[in-house]
C-alpha cells in the first residue's frame, strides 16, 4: 500500500521535494538538493516552516569585467548624491506613513505571519579563470 503525500497549503500539511541527479541512487543516498514546506509546524510558534538543503556546491566564475560594470552601475557618484538619495527615501517613507491611518496599520499587523527559514547550503566554489 502507498500513503498519499499531504498537500501543501492544507492545514498542517507539508510538502517536500528533491531534485538533481539521474538514475536510482537507492535509499539513504544524499541528493543534490531538497526542499520542505510545512504550515503550522507542530510545537513551533511560527506559522510556516521552510527548509532548503543544497549538498552540491554552487560554482561561481569570477568575471572581473562584468563585476566592474555592475559596480559602476550601482556606484554613488559622491557624498552629495548619497545625501540626496537618503533625503528622498526619508520623504517617501514619511509621506507613506502620513497616508496610512491607524486602522490600516492595525489591519496590516493583524495579518502578520511568522516564518522559519532553514538553509543548509554547501560552500560555493569560486573559479578564477586565467583568460577571460
Amino acid at each position: 500500500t502507498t500513503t498519499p503525500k499531504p498537500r501543501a497549503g492544507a492545514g498542517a500539511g507539508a510538502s517536500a521535494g528533491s531534485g538533481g541527479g539521474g538514475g536510482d541512487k537507492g535509499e539513504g543516498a544524499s541528493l543534490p538538493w531538497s526542499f520542505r514546506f510545512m504550515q503550522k509546524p507542530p510545537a513551533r510558534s511560527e506559522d510556516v516552516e521552510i527548509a532548503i538543503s543544497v549538498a552540491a556546491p554552487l560554482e561561481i566564475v569570477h568575471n572581473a569585467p562584468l563585476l566592474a560594470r555592475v559596480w559602476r552601475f550601482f556606484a554613488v557618484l559622491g557624498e552629495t548624491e548619497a545625501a540626496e538619495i537618503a533625503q528622498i527615501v526619508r520623504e517617501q517613507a514619511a509621506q507613506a506613513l502620513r497616508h496610512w491611518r491607524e486602522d490600516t496599520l492595525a489591519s496590516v499587523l493583524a495579518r502578520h505571519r511568522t516564518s522559519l527559514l532553514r538553509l543548509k547550503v554547501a560552500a560555493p566554489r569560486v573559479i578564477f579563470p586565467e583568460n577571460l
Side-chain angles (χ1 to χ4, degrees), residues 11-37:
S15 68
S18 60
D24 185 13
K25 295 188 180 191
E27 294 275 336
S30 67
L31 295 172
W33 65 273
S34 67
F35 171 82
R36 186 181 75 221
F37 172 82

Side-chain angles (χ1 to χ4, degrees), residues 30-33 53-59 120-125:
S30 67
L31 295 172
W33 65 273
S53 177
V54 181
L58 175 66
E59 291 184 347
K120 184 178 179 183
V121 181
R125 288 187 200 137

Side-chain angles (χ1 to χ4, degrees), residues 3-16 37-38:
T3 305
K5 290 184 181 179
R7 293 181 314 160
S15 68
F37 172 82
M38 183 180 294

